[in-house]
Amino acid sequence: MTLIPEVQAVVDKLNSADISFTDLTVAEARQLYVETLARSGGQPVAMAAVEDRHIPGPVGEIAIRRYRPDGLDETPAPTLIYFHGGGWVLGDLDSHDRICRQLAQRSGCQLIAVDYRLAPEHPLPASSDDAIAAFKWLTTNAAELDIDPERVAVAGDSAGGHLSAVVALAARDQGWPLAYQALIYPATDLRGTARYYPSRSRNGHIPPLTAEFMDWFGQHATDESTDTNDWRVSPLMAGSLAGVAPALVLTAGADVLMDEGALYATRLRDEGVACDHAHFPGVIHGSIEMFAWLAVTSTMLDRVADAVREALTS
């Protein structure tokens, strides 16, 4: 895989690091993840208002963070619900604060970031159940947070892309309003056979998401009770994708998850869903969180934000 020059420089930096996530305890890895994304994400974009609060979840409260960008005067407002990445093990509202601010500003929409239970304390599909419950509560109680329930989209990166796909399936099945889904290099297949996707081996040596790190996530995110054929765990295994919200699927050429993201986009199209597949050759997993390091990050952010804005405001 040929990387674009600025991405190659980041890969060289990551390869020269003295520490690996897989050598750490879960608590240490979580802290390093937040610190790393703070460095790679750059200075936080100013918002007109940021509010932290909690909403009811399946087994307790779910933390959310609401962003209102400058210039958004509509009430109720078009709203993007965002689920953070981190392999269902890492990440929180703070780790993805910078990307949420960027997407809110660039889309001109209200953005609500949703936290969820993490593994290994809460193996899959706990995070999926939280994501579904949060979406249901937010759209059912839309007026409380100035949400226009007819103009709601979901988005997320990596594990968050997985959760967005899961929510889109649940929304279709339950008849909940969802206008759009933006899946940023999503994980869509957690079965053991997923390791045989060519991109898993071809790109398995390229950080930050190496094959070793992917295995680490798999070992921590699931346990003996997890059914990897469950669509809440592997949305690619859903019997049908027909009828879900229109989609943007973004994939990166040097990413272990490239093939399953591309396959999900193909299935969406084949089953009659309007789907735009935006592919970025020579780009690595995690690039959309690297605004301070990569020029291509701005292009990726605009690609997502423009699609969301068009879906929710046109």
Side-chain angles (χ1 to χ4, degrees), residues 189 191-201 211 215 219 260:
D189 189 352
R191 298 173 299 161
T193 53
R195 68 181 60 239
Y196 298 116
Y197 287 119
S199 63
R200 291 283 187 102
S201 56
D215 288 343
Q219 292 161 11
E260 60 200 83

Side-chain angles (χ1 to χ4, degrees), residues 4-306:
I4 62 177
E6 64 171 1
V7 172
Q8 182 65 63
V10 169
V11 167
D12 292 343
K13 178 193 301 186
L14 295 174
N15 279 329
S16 66
D18 295 331
I19 195 165
S20 170
F21 280 96
T22 57
D23 295 330
L24 303 175
T25 66
V26 170
E28 291 169 339
R30 286 173 178 163
Q31 182 60 35
L32 179 60
Y33 187 66
V34 172
E35 293 170 355
T36 301
L37 266 61
R39 291 194 300 272
S40 67
Q43 285 295 113
V45 175
M47 292 281 107
V50 178
E51 175 193 10
D52 284 352
R53 61 177 294 176
H54 292 81
I55 62 174
V59 295
E61 291 187 324
I62 295 172
I64 64 169
R65 182 172 293 168
R66 178 164 68 139
Y67 301 85
R68 296 274 300 194
D70 291 329
L72 177 60
D73 300 321
E74 290 185 80
T75 300
T79 300
L80 173 60
I81 299 173
Y82 195 87
F83 301 98
H84 67 77
W88 312 274
V89 178
L90 313 177
D92 56 23
L93 298 180
D94 291 334
S95 67
H96 284 65
D97 179 73
R98 286 162 175 78
I99 184 176
C100 288
R101 290 169 180 265
Q102 289 275 4
L103 289 174
Q105 180 197 55
R106 290 166 187 255
S107 68
C109 297
Q110 175 174 248
L111 187 147
I112 297 177
V114 177
D115 210 1
Y116 49 85
R117 286 174 290 164
L118 296 176
E121 297 91 336
H122 306 284
L124 281 163
S127 56
S128 295
D129 292 341
D130 281 3
I132 292 168
F135 180 84
K136 178 183 179 182
W137 191 93
L138 289 169
T139 52
T140 302
N141 298 274
E144 189 169 334
L145 289 169
D146 299 324
I147 298 169
D148 183 345
E150 298 303 318
R151 293 188 293 167
V152 174
V154 294
D157 60 288
S158 194
H162 161 271
L163 295 176
S164 298
V166 166
V167 167
L169 287 162
R172 175 201 63 185
D173 294 344
Q174 299 299 322
W176 300 329
L178 178 63
Y180 201 70
Q181 55 177 321
L183 315 180
I184 303 167
Y185 34 75
T188 63
D189 189 352
L190 269 70
R191 298 173 299 161
T193 53
R195 68 181 60 239
Y196 298 116
Y197 287 119
S199 63
R200 291 283 187 102
S201 56
R202 182 177 65 251
N203 299 327
H205 65 290
I206 303 174
L209 188 58
T210 61
E212 178 187 24
F213 202 9
M214 193 70 192
D215 288 343
W216 186 89
F217 280 129
Q219 292 161 11
H220 286 80
T222 62
D223 67 7
E224 64 278 358
S225 69
T226 304
D227 178 6
T228 56
N229 288 299
D230 184 338
W231 61 271
R232 295 172 300 165
V233 179
S234 299
L236 195 62
M237 296 306 294
S240 172
L241 302 184
V244 299
L248 166 68
V249 179
L250 187 152
T251 55
D255 181 9
V256 293
L257 299 181
M258 188 196 79
D259 286 346
E260 60 200 83
L263 182 56
Y264 201 76
T266 298
R267 268 200 65 188
L268 286 167
R269 288 173 172 169
D270 288 349
E271 296 182 41
V273 178
C275 177
D276 186 4
H277 179 195
H279 182 65
F280 287 78
V283 172
I284 56 176
H285 191 88
S287 291
I288 206 163
E289 292 96 6
M290 298 179 181
F291 181 76
W293 295 352
L294 298 174
V296 73
T297 298
S298 187
T299 304
M300 299 171 81
L301 288 166
D302 280 341
R303 189 70 184 80
V304 176
D306 290 350

